[in-house]
């Protein structure tokens, strides 16, 4: 088994006219790599009618409905995160309750608010109560503000994790650029933060450091937007860790983070 904990799809409301081809190409490429579960989100309209990282309530709801439609189309292969914007607090809570009831298995927080902002507390509390993890967009050490997003780094996510010790938080795309060493130092002693290895970076030192500092029991395989670098990391990990440890990273850890039984994994 191989579970991609960080996938994305597009919809007819996305700016891309070839959105359907892009979605289908991901499924085909995943088959070649051996992915048995894509856990995915759709970030509103990807900027078409509201900002990607600040989706309007309507755009978030429409995207989640489209994500659920994909889950039904690829039943047993595609699973959904509920995307919410915590700036719209009550809508976010209502959307999580509704979409988890409909089968979504996680919550996706992009960069609508910094991870240590109190506005996130009700969202993370509800996710913990409903038994689903929260995947949070993270810069690997934020050195400045970035236009169009309230970017967080590991230090802020660690503050959120400390306030919610019963929540399971996934730190997004360690390989997405920036100072991954800073991230690993911050989260190595935060047991409820799991590290998603996705992103375009395929730095062997990053993989060695992640294994040594965080440990194989808290690493999750993912690919993010494209699959080629995720595949490269998977191939490299095969030479870094034991077969049992690779199974942890490839699917067993994900099976323990997401609701029990959703992927059909028993051990």
């Amino acid at each position: 088994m191989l579970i991609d904990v960080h996938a994305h799809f597009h919809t007819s409301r996305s700016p891309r006219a070839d959105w359907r081809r892009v979605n289908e190409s991901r499924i085909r490429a995943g088959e070649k790599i051996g992915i048995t579960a894509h856990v995915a989100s759709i970030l509103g309209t990807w900027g078409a009618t509201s900002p990607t990282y600040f989706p309007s309530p309507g755009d978030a709801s429409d995207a989640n409905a489209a994500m659920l439609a994909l889950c039904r189309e690829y039943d047993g292969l595609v699973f959904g995160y509920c995307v919410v914007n915590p700036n719209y607090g009550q809508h976010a809570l209502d959307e999580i309750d509704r979409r988890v009831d409909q089968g979504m298995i996680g919550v996706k927080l992009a960069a609508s608010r910094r991870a240590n902002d109190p506005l996130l507390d009700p969202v993370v509390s509800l996710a913990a109560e409903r038994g689903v993890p929260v995947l949070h967009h993270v810069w690997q050490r934020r050195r400045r503000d970035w236009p169009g997003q309230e970017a967080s780094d590991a230090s802020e996510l660690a503050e959120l994790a400390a306030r919610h010790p019963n929540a399971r938080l996934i730190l997004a795309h360690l390989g997405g650029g920036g100072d991954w060493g800073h991230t690993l130092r911050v989260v190595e002693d935060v047991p409820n933060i799991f590290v998603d290895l996705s992103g375009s970076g395929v730095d062997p030192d990053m993989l060695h450091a992640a294994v040594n500092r965080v440990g194989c029991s808290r690493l999750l395989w993912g690919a993010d937007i494209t699959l080629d670098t995720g595949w490269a990391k998977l191939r490299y990990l095969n030479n870094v860790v034991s077969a049992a440890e690779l199974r942890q990273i490839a699917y067993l850890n994900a099976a323990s983070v997401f609701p029990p039984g959703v992927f059909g994994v028993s051990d």
Side-chain angles (χ1 to χ4, degrees):
M1 293 188 70
L2 180 61
I3 298 172
D4 182 354
V5 303
H6 192 149
H8 289 295
F9 287 99
H10 294 266
T11 75
S12 60
R13 299 190 65 205
S14 304
R16 301 191 62 134
D18 62 346
W19 63 273
R20 194 182 301 278
R21 181 193 64 78
V22 173
N23 289 352
E24 291 172 351
S25 70
R26 180 182 185 88
I27 297 297
R28 290 196 304 271
E31 289 174 351
K32 293 179 180 179
I33 294 171
I35 295 173
T36 51
H38 303 256
V39 191
S41 62
I42 299 172
L43 301 185
T45 59
W46 291 100
T49 57
S50 62
T52 298
Y53 292 125
F54 301 91
S56 68
D59 284 354
S61 292
D62 287 351
N64 290 331
M67 189 67 247
L68 281 166
L70 279 167
C71 294
R72 290 191 294 271
E73 180 179 354
Y74 297 102
D75 183 38
L77 177 63
V78 173
F79 301 82
Y81 288 105
C82 174
V83 172
V84 295
N85 181 344
N87 292 293
Y88 303 101
Q90 191 57 53
H91 175 268
L93 299 179
D94 293 344
E95 190 73 0
I96 292 168
D97 262 335
R98 177 164 65 132
R99 300 308 186 182
V100 172
D101 285 344
Q102 293 172 339
M104 285 189 156
I105 64 171
V107 173
K108 172 62 184 284
L109 291 175
S112 306
R113 209 76 178 192
R114 294 264 162 79
N116 60 352
D117 193 296
L119 276 181
L120 271 64
D121 288 328
V123 170
V124 175
S125 291
L126 180 57
E129 179 185 326
R130 296 303 307 264
V132 297
V134 176
L135 173 65
H136 201 297
H137 178 94
V138 164
W139 278 96
Q140 313 311 327
R141 191 173 187 184
R142 190 191 67 253
R143 298 179 183 274
R144 62 178 177 83
D145 288 329
W146 295 83
Q149 58 179 293
E150 283 286 315
S152 304
D153 75 5
S155 300
E156 291 150 336
L157 190 64
E159 290 181 45
L160 183 65
R163 296 203 301 264
H164 299 275
N166 295 323
R168 300 187 296 279
L169 302 177
I170 302 172
L171 183 147
H173 39 59
L174 184 70
D179 186 354
W180 47 259
H182 164 79
T183 292
L184 295 173
R185 289 190 295 273
V186 169
V187 305
E188 62 179 322
D189 295 321
V190 186
N192 58 329
I193 292 181
F194 294 79
V195 177
D196 145 21
L197 296 174
S198 73
S200 57
V202 194
D203 183 344
D205 288 343
M206 179 189 75
L207 297 175
H208 282 282
V211 168
N212 291 333
R213 279 193 172 270
V214 175
C216 293
S217 64
R218 285 169 50 211
L219 300 180
L220 302 168
W221 185 80
D224 204 353
I225 296 292
T226 59
L227 286 168
D228 51 352
T229 53
W231 178 80
K233 281 193 277 284
L234 188 68
R235 291 293 298 269
Y236 191 84
L237 282 167
N238 193 51
N239 297 312
V240 174
V241 300
S242 69
E245 290 169 329
L246 188 60
R247 285 194 294 273
Q248 284 186 292
I249 298 169
Y251 68 92
L252 288 175
N253 295 339
S256 70
V257 168
F258 290 93
V262 297
F263 304 119
V265 180
S266 58
D267 55 33

